[in-house]
Amino acid sequence: MAIMTALIAAGWFLCKREILHADHIPSLTQLLLQVASPSVILLSGNEIFQQEQARWLLTSFILAIVFHCLFLTAALLLFQRDPVLENGVLLPNSGFMGIPLVQAVLGSSAVFLLTPFMIVNTLMQWTVGVYLMDHSSAFSLKKFLKTPMAIAVVLAMLLYFTPLALPPIIADVLTMTAALNTPLAMLILGALLAKTTLTQNWKLVRRCLPAAMARLLFMPLLVILILKGLPVPEMLKMLLTLVSSCPCAVSVALFSETLHQDSVKATTLVLSSTMLSLMTIPLISTLANFLWQL
């Protein structure tokens, strides 16, 4: 987290000094979402099939569904009729922050076990999340399957469950592009923080704080307590805990803009939860280790 914080600070500094301009952020975000993150996922599937790992992959998928159902229930109970806050509690930032976090803490091979959570998270985002913001919007499976992340997940599964493997040259290229994922994601977050001054509207920050705390503390605590009684490996427990403790997804702000919701509140929620997560994620992971040892 100290390394990630330093990278975020570097992004903030570069944006403030106008070395990294605000109008560069959309292009860098597309580079992250369409090249760097898919490269990480694709590489994670380029492994030798192991029956035990495949079993934990299925377990990860089932638990991801259970946890998202809990997130949705909590969001509807706590922030009924506020679609921005509901989405903030429902959707952790499993891609933008989850991938670099898991990659840094548990290693690149653990990212493959993260893919089921990302699949469920993305489906919830494009179905329930969109519906909460705009009841007239319809989910397009065809459009979703055309996204680079979805294609990378399908190819990673194909590589893992078949004898196929990436050619060495392609694997080397993907290794280089995947190395961009963590620094690029953190630099973008730093630039976003520099672009938006939260201190200009403390009233709005206070309105978003309960949802941010629900996302950062209440949701991961539920996950920790459920995982405590389950016979799953410590690595998978920590992976699910880390990704569940991530801040509100950046897509909450993006969708609120396109679906005519309060985009200022959504951006405030995303950025305030991101800043707070730099303190809460180490706290949650430490608490998880303590409770699981009892």
Side-chain angles (χ1 to χ4, degrees):
M1 291 307 298
I3 293 170
M4 294 173 76
T5 303
L7 288 169
I8 291 173
W12 179 89
F13 176 79
L14 291 172
C15 192
K16 284 295 185 181
R17 292 296 300 269
E18 296 187 351
I19 299 171
L20 173 61
H21 295 276
D23 54 2
H24 294 162
I25 297 175
S27 298
L28 291 175
T29 302
Q30 290 304 310
L31 180 63
L32 174 71
L33 297 178
Q34 297 194 36
V35 179
S37 293
S39 297
V40 176
I41 293 173
L42 193 52
L43 275 175
S44 68
N46 193 37
E47 296 183 3
I48 298 173
F49 175 81
Q50 298 176 9
Q51 189 172 359
E52 186 178 16
Q53 188 182 41
R55 186 168 73 250
W56 297 132
L57 192 69
L58 177 61
T59 303
S60 178
F61 186 72
I62 294 170
L63 289 174
I65 295 173
V66 172
F67 292 151
H68 278 86
C69 288
L70 288 175
F71 298 161
L72 176 60
T73 302
L76 294 176
L77 289 175
L78 295 173
F79 303 102
Q80 193 175 20
R81 295 176 185 162
D82 192 324
V84 169
L85 300 185
E86 286 174 336
N87 269 269
V89 175
L90 170 63
L91 301 171
N93 200 342
S94 61
F96 208 81
M97 192 142 183
I99 292 177
L101 185 61
V102 169
Q103 199 175 7
V105 176
L106 300 174
S108 297
S109 59
V111 175
F112 189 56
L113 291 176
L114 177 61
T115 52
F117 192 100
M118 292 180 59
I119 292 170
V120 176
N121 186 267
T122 305
L123 285 172
M124 291 291 282
Q125 169 188 307
W126 283 87
T127 54
V128 178
V130 170
Y131 179 77
L132 290 173
M133 288 196 178
D134 183 3
H135 291 240
S136 63
S137 294
F139 170 65
S140 173
L141 180 61
K142 184 178 180 181
K143 183 178 180 181
F144 168 69
L145 290 175
K146 286 182 178 179
T147 61
M149 293 291 280
I151 294 170
V153 167
V154 171
L155 292 176
M157 295 290 180
L158 185 66
L159 286 169
Y160 185 71
F161 288 105
T162 67
L164 299 174
L166 292 171
I169 293 177
I170 294 178
D172 288 344
V173 170
L174 289 174
T175 300
M176 293 178 185
T177 53
L180 295 171
N181 189 74
T182 299
L184 191 56
M186 297 305 103
L187 288 173
I188 292 170
L189 284 175
L192 287 172
L193 290 173
K195 185 181 174 184
T196 306
T197 306
L198 296 177
T199 54
Q200 290 177 349
N201 196 343
W202 281 113
K203 186 177 180 181
L204 186 56
V205 173
R206 286 196 298 270
R207 282 177 58 196
C208 294
L209 199 57
M213 288 296 97
R215 171 71 269 143
L216 297 172
L217 296 176
F218 183 48
M219 297 301 105
L221 280 174
L222 281 177
V223 170
I224 290 171
L225 293 175
I226 292 171
L227 290 174
K228 179 174 171 55
L230 296 179
V232 297
E234 289 290 325
M235 185 190 76
L236 182 56
K237 284 184 178 182
M238 184 53 69
L239 182 149
L240 292 169
T241 300
L242 285 173
V243 74
S244 297
S245 63
C246 282
C248 306
V250 176
S251 60
V252 176
L254 300 178
F255 276 86
S256 66
E257 180 72 33
T258 57
L259 297 176
H260 311 293
Q261 292 293 328
D262 191 342
S263 60
V264 176
K265 179 166 69 173
T267 303
T268 301
L269 174 62
V270 170
L271 293 179
S272 58
S273 67
T274 300
M275 292 179 68
L276 289 169
S277 72
L278 300 176
M279 295 178 286
T280 59
I281 290 175
L283 175 66
I284 288 294
S285 59
T286 303
L287 180 63
N289 275 321
F290 174 74
L291 291 176
W292 291 336
Q293 298 304 319
L294 293 179

